[in-house]
Amino acid sequence: MQTGKINVQTENIFPIIKKFLYSDHEIFLRELVSNAVDASQKLSALAGIGEYKGELGEMIIEVEVNPKEKTLVIRDRGLGMTGEEIVKYIAQIAFSGAEEFIQKYKDKTDTSAVIGHFGLGFYSAFMVAKQVEIRSLSYKEGSKGALWTCDGSPEYTLEEIDLNQRGTEITLRIAEDSEDFLERSKIEGLLKKYCKFLPVKIKFGTKKEFVPQEGEEKEVEIEVENIINNPTPAWTKKPSELKEEDYKNFYHELYPHIFDEPLFHIHLNVDFPFNLTGILYFPKLNKSMEVQKDKIQLYSRQVFVTDALENIVPDFLTFLRGVIDSPDIPLNVSRSYLQSDGNVKKISAHITKKVADKLEEIFKNNRPEFEGIWDDIRIFAQYGMMTEDKFYDKAKSFALLKNTEKAYYTLDEYKEKVKANQIDKNGNTIILYTNNTETQHSYIASAKERGYDVIEFDNPFDAHYIQLLESKMEKTQFVRVDANTTDKIIEKDEPSISKLSDEEKKQIGEIFEKVVNKAKYQVQVENLSETDSPILLTQSEFMRRMRDMSQMGGGMSFYGSLPETYNLIINSNHPLMTKILHEGDEQKKENFAKQAADLALLSQGLLKGEDLTNFVKRSVALIQ
Ligand code: ADP
Ligand code: MG
């Protein structure tokens, strides 16, 4: 037996490590299992170049929990270590790496930035173990088995023991405050989280399964190895090896509780100037854009790193699902480091471009397919256009507008379509839109009668997109179909003729002002066509848009706090106005006006409570 002292300056760095890593203790398992994977792959590589001539056998890694003994064991059949190598790689290098880490961070008060994602490697075992034992037999000919024991103080012991299986077995004697790591289900959950796609088979005990028996009809329940991972996930294969079906199956393997099929996928495969593989899926997005819990997963050589990619990839990409794997994304750093890392930035830019290319490809090669998915990807694409200039530059050629006839147009196509009718006296193209084809039905119908086209923008988020388009498209304005009377919504230099004299128009205006709530409805008398409605409600595009955006959190809370107001447009050319002016006494005039105004409010769902009750009473009295 040999004893030694770990070469560290700090007397006892374990308590410090423990404190710093408090929230992320579980990563010890990822670290130990990935060491086992490394050791297995190294031996396979040595065999590949003829450096190792012995039997490789199956490179399986076993994880075991023994609640009685209070141990957790990780066993591999990799290249193993001699006693000297343990002292060198574990006691000296790994420990000094850990010490360096402590020196760097012990004075930092904001530990959360540090805790993020970094690996302390082997050392992290001491976050949960009060004693760690390494039993190892090196692949090298004539090696003797080694047992290394360390209880968390810088002293360790090393002795020679008899071992007959090549590889390394790490035994953690779990500390009292970490006994939850002796629960089978907890360990299985962690293995599935971090090790689901590691490239070497990982066995976690056995499980019972129904298996068809040869020569018999029945399935029989037998014990089978409980293999945690899929060592060859789809993204590690070449696109040419995979069928559509395989991509879909992999999607469900990644997200077992999602039943929706993805719309389409992008297989990423880059060697230069950085290394990146992965598969991204476009899910159907729901309108509310609720924060997704099934996110893109980031891997580094098949080791799970994180699925919290916010602020690491552009925001809009976090709506996608799938896997990104890059050895160039450093595992052992904090989030804030990741955010500023040059490689990570290049990778983000690359993905953004690939996503735009893919959409463009579908648009160019299969327009009907593209139109078919547009409603589902629209929010995603618009969000990308709003937040990433590079994405906008590509997407402006395939971003679509859908009109109320359900026909799709690119921005250029649409301007071309409406240019005959929808250019106002200042030369601006006016694009009319509706956010609700039901409630704005009469406005839409009236616009169409005039030969105008109306597009659909039914998402609250569209207000911001409209702002973007107006800032990017030349001489183009978007106006909601109920923002003005159809006559005025696109201002042209056409003279309007009035049947009423100016004096009569003033009188009719005054009658209506008496019967409506002036704070909410501003009365305006206008010369519309005789066949138009007698009374119309409109809401200024500007004010409404500002309110909508402030409600979405656009920082314009001033507008959000203003009361909602409308214009009550009186059509002076409608025969009803002549009737109100010239028939009956004052009371009768007001009754008619009130009835007509209420009808207009009713048609917009604005007549409520007592006003509605009174309206119904008056109507009944009228028909009696
Ligand atoms: P890293 O994996 O980043 O090198 P670690 O602290 O995880 O850092 O491990 C330190 C070293 O210990 C490894 O580089 C390797 O040489 C050795 N090692 C750790 N675990 C094993 C193992 N299961 N089999 C063989 N060698 C191992
Ligand atoms: Mg390691």
Side-chain angles (χ1 to χ4, degrees):
M1 159 114 66
Q2 173 195 334
T3 59
K5 189 157 187 293
I6 291 160
N7 182 22
V8 289
Q9 308 303 313
T10 320
E11 237 338 276
N12 199 340
I13 56 183
F14 302 98
I16 312 177
I17 287 279
K18 251 188 148 148
K19 176 179 153 248
F20 269 100
L21 294 178
Y22 194 76
S23 68
D24 235 4
H25 278 183
E26 60 182 44
I27 59 143
F28 83 90
L29 194 58
R30 173 187 83 183
E31 294 300 325
L32 296 181
V33 176
S34 39
N35 281 350
V37 168
D38 291 346
S40 308
Q41 289 187 317
K42 279 181 198 159
L43 187 64
S44 303
L46 288 172
I49 57 167
E51 280 283 305
Y52 174 63
K53 296 198 175 61
E55 191 65 30
L56 266 184
E58 196 189 15
M59 280 295 161
I60 200 163
I61 294 164
E62 291 170 272
V63 179
E64 250 173 46
V65 268
N66 306 304
K68 274 204 198 112
E69 288 95 68
K70 305 204 166 164
T71 59
L72 181 72
V73 177
I74 294 115
R75 190 179 301 122
D76 67 64
R77 306 212 352 94
L79 83 178
M81 288 177 278
T82 62
E84 278 169 11
E85 284 168 336
I86 297 179
V87 170
K88 185 168 166 209
Y89 296 129
I90 303 285
Q92 290 169 8
I93 297 180
F95 277 47
S96 60
E99 199 198 17
E100 196 181 308
F101 169 81
I102 289 301
Q103 294 303 343
K104 223 160 140 188
Y105 291 113
K106 72 174 171 196
D107 301 325
K108 295 246 163 98
T109 42
D110 177 19
T111 53
S112 65
V114 181
I115 287 167
H117 286 280
F118 69 90
L120 266 184
F122 175 80
Y123 208 97
S124 58
F126 288 102
M127 298 191 298
V128 299
K130 57 183 177 193
Q131 179 171 311
V132 178
E133 296 153 19
I134 302 176
R135 288 175 181 76
S136 194
L137 179 63
S138 164
Y139 76 101
K140 287 174 189 154
E141 241 168 88
S143 298
K144 298 265 165 41
L147 167 62
W148 180 89
T149 311
C150 183
D151 67 357
S153 66
E155 276 96 32
Y156 62 83
T157 65
L158 179 68
E159 60 194 287
E160 210 177 280
I161 52 162
D162 277 341
L163 289 177
N164 45 31
Q165 173 160 291
R166 179 202 71 225
T168 303
E169 182 180 280
I170 311 276
T171 304
L172 310 186
R173 301 206 171 269
I174 299 295
E176 279 76 25
D177 61 2
S178 300
E179 283 185 3
D180 46 332
F181 290 108
L182 291 169
E183 286 162 24
R184 249 195 85 81
S185 59
K186 170 140 190 168
I187 296 298
E188 184 158 3
L190 291 177
L191 288 172
K192 290 208 164 123
K193 175 171 173 189
Y194 291 108
C195 308
K196 201 170 161 186
F197 299 115
L198 280 180
V200 178
K201 259 197 202 173
I202 298 159
K203 181 182 144 185
F204 185 55
T206 57
K207 62 177 178 184
K208 292 198 171 117
E209 216 171 61
F210 285 98
V211 179
Q213 292 300 98
E214 229 176 301
E216 281 178 53
E217 272 179 27
K218 272 206 263 166
E219 295 195 329
V220 179
E221 191 181 27
I222 60 164
E223 292 255 316
V224 293
E225 287 186 340
N226 182 17
I227 302 296
I228 292 289
N229 58 331
N230 170 4
T232 53
W235 84 83
T236 62
K237 298 176 184 166
K238 290 201 194 80
S240 59
E241 293 169 31
L242 298 163
K243 296 196 198 68
E244 199 53 42
E245 193 66 13
D246 300 318
Y247 285 107
K248 286 194 173 150
N249 289 342
F250 181 60
Y251 183 74
H252 295 300
E253 189 180 340
L254 268 181
Y255 308 108
H257 56 276
I258 297 182
F259 297 103
D260 264 7
E261 295 292 348
L263 294 168
F264 56 90
H265 66 263
I266 302 170
H267 197 136
L268 302 165
N269 212 331
V270 196
D271 304 320
F272 186 80
F274 46 81
N275 230 296
L276 175 74
T277 50
I279 301 174
L280 296 178
Y281 293 93
F282 270 71
K284 284 191 179 170
L285 288 180
N286 65 20
K287 280 190 183 166
S288 65
M289 299 207 308
E290 63 187 30
V291 180
Q292 290 206 150
K293 61 177 189 307
D294 304 293
K295 302 181 204 153
I296 297 179
Q297 301 176 4
L298 181 65
Y299 288 78
S300 175
R301 294 182 205 277
Q302 292 173 244
V303 183
F304 176 82
V305 181
T306 181
D307 62 1
L309 288 183
E310 297 84 8
N311 305 323
I312 294 175
V313 299
D315 244 13
F316 79 109
L317 293 177
T318 60
F319 288 106
L320 301 182
R321 296 193 178 124
V323 174
I324 301 171
D325 188 340
S326 176
D328 296 328
I329 294 177
L331 242 186
N332 303 327
V333 294
S334 67
R335 279 184 68 75
S336 53
Y337 183 84
L338 270 187
Q339 287 164 19
S340 58
D341 182 67
N343 269 327
V344 173
K345 285 209 173 110
K346 278 188 215 142
I347 288 170
S348 281
H350 177 79
I351 296 171
T352 303
K353 181 176 176 310
K354 280 286 163 195
V355 168
D357 286 350
K358 178 72 185 189
L359 292 174
E360 190 178 29
E361 175 197 316
I362 304 177
F363 171 76
K364 283 196 172 145
N365 297 343
N366 193 343
R367 174 96 180 232
E369 183 194 340
F370 190 76
E371 291 183 2
I373 58 173
W374 177 251
D375 289 352
D376 290 311
I377 62 166
R378 181 168 83 85
I379 303 287
F380 167 84
Q382 291 179 184
Y383 191 33
M385 289 167 81
M386 287 167 41
T387 51
E388 292 291 315
D389 288 342
K390 288 231 169 74
F391 188 79
Y392 177 88
D393 291 339
K394 287 216 147 214
K396 66 173 188 242
S397 64
F398 58 71
L400 299 180
L401 298 173
K402 176 170 79 169
N403 73 4
T404 52
E405 249 89 88
K406 315 287 176 219
Y408 293 87
Y409 304 87
T410 64
L411 301 174
D412 285 345
E413 287 166 359
Y414 196 76
K415 271 194 96 160
E416 192 58 28
K417 174 184 165 64
V418 300
K419 83 172 181 208
N421 255 334
Q422 295 181 214
I423 295 185
D424 73 4
K425 60 179 185 189
N426 302 317
N428 291 320
T429 303
I430 306 296
I431 297 183
L432 301 180
Y433 69 95
T434 170
N435 71 337
N436 192 326
T437 51
E438 294 283 304
T439 57
Q440 288 151 17
H441 181 268
S442 63
Y443 299 89
I444 296 169
S446 154
K448 282 187 185 166
E449 246 166 62
R450 278 209 149 226
Y452 295 160
D453 194 72
V454 180
I455 58 170
E456 288 184 14
F457 269 134
D458 54 5
N459 196 291
F461 176 78
D462 285 326
H464 293 273
Y465 184 57
I466 288 171
Q467 297 278 97
L468 173 80
L469 292 183
E470 283 180 341
S471 73
K472 300 267 187 181
M473 292 168 77
E474 251 173 73
K475 301 205 91 178
T476 305
Q477 276 166 23
F478 287 74
V479 179
R480 204 166 89 178
V481 70
D482 60 347
N484 210 330
T485 63
T486 312
D487 276 23
K488 294 260 171 74
I489 202 155
I490 300 176
E491 274 190 86
K492 300 190 177 170
D493 265 335
E494 291 158 5
S496 60
I497 300 151
S498 176
K499 290 206 298 190
L500 303 185
S501 69
D502 285 354
E503 181 54 32
E504 286 173 316
K505 278 165 84 172
K506 196 173 155 235
Q507 279 175 20
I508 196 88
E510 282 164 3
I511 298 173
F512 275 95
E513 278 179 352
K514 279 190 205 149
V515 300
V516 296
N517 172 1
K518 281 207 313 205
K520 193 167 176 188
Y521 301 102
Q522 168 153 31
V523 175
Q524 267 169 252
V525 182
E526 298 198 2
N527 316 325
L528 308 180
S529 105
E530 251 178 72
T531 51
D532 262 339
S533 313
I535 299 176
L536 264 173
L537 280 159
T538 65
Q539 209 174 12
S540 125
E541 176 70 18
F542 175 78
M543 288 300 284
R544 205 211 55 252
R545 212 188 272 183
M546 293 301 134
R547 289 178 58 87
D548 286 355
M549 288 202 285
S550 79
Q551 270 159 17
M552 279 207 66
M556 279 161 281
S557 52
F558 162 70
Y559 293 101
S561 64
L562 293 180
E564 194 150 20
T565 58
Y566 296 84
N567 298 320
L568 190 83
I569 313 273
I570 313 296
N571 179 0
S572 61
N573 288 337
H574 196 279
L576 180 66
M577 302 310 150
T578 320
K579 183 171 170 164
I580 293 176
L581 273 176
H582 300 296
E583 278 176 31
D585 57 11
E586 208 65 6
Q587 188 57 47
K588 195 165 179 193
K589 287 184 203 293
E590 276 176 31
N591 278 353
F592 273 145
K594 178 88 184 140
Q595 193 73 4
D598 279 357
L599 271 171
L601 299 189
L602 188 70
S603 76
Q604 290 308 299
L606 290 165
L607 197 62
K608 292 186 182 126
E610 197 183 346
D611 292 337
L612 182 59
T613 312
N614 290 341
F615 171 79
V616 172
K617 273 190 196 151
R618 253 185 290 118
S619 301
V620 172
L622 265 174
I623 50 180
Q624 267 174 350

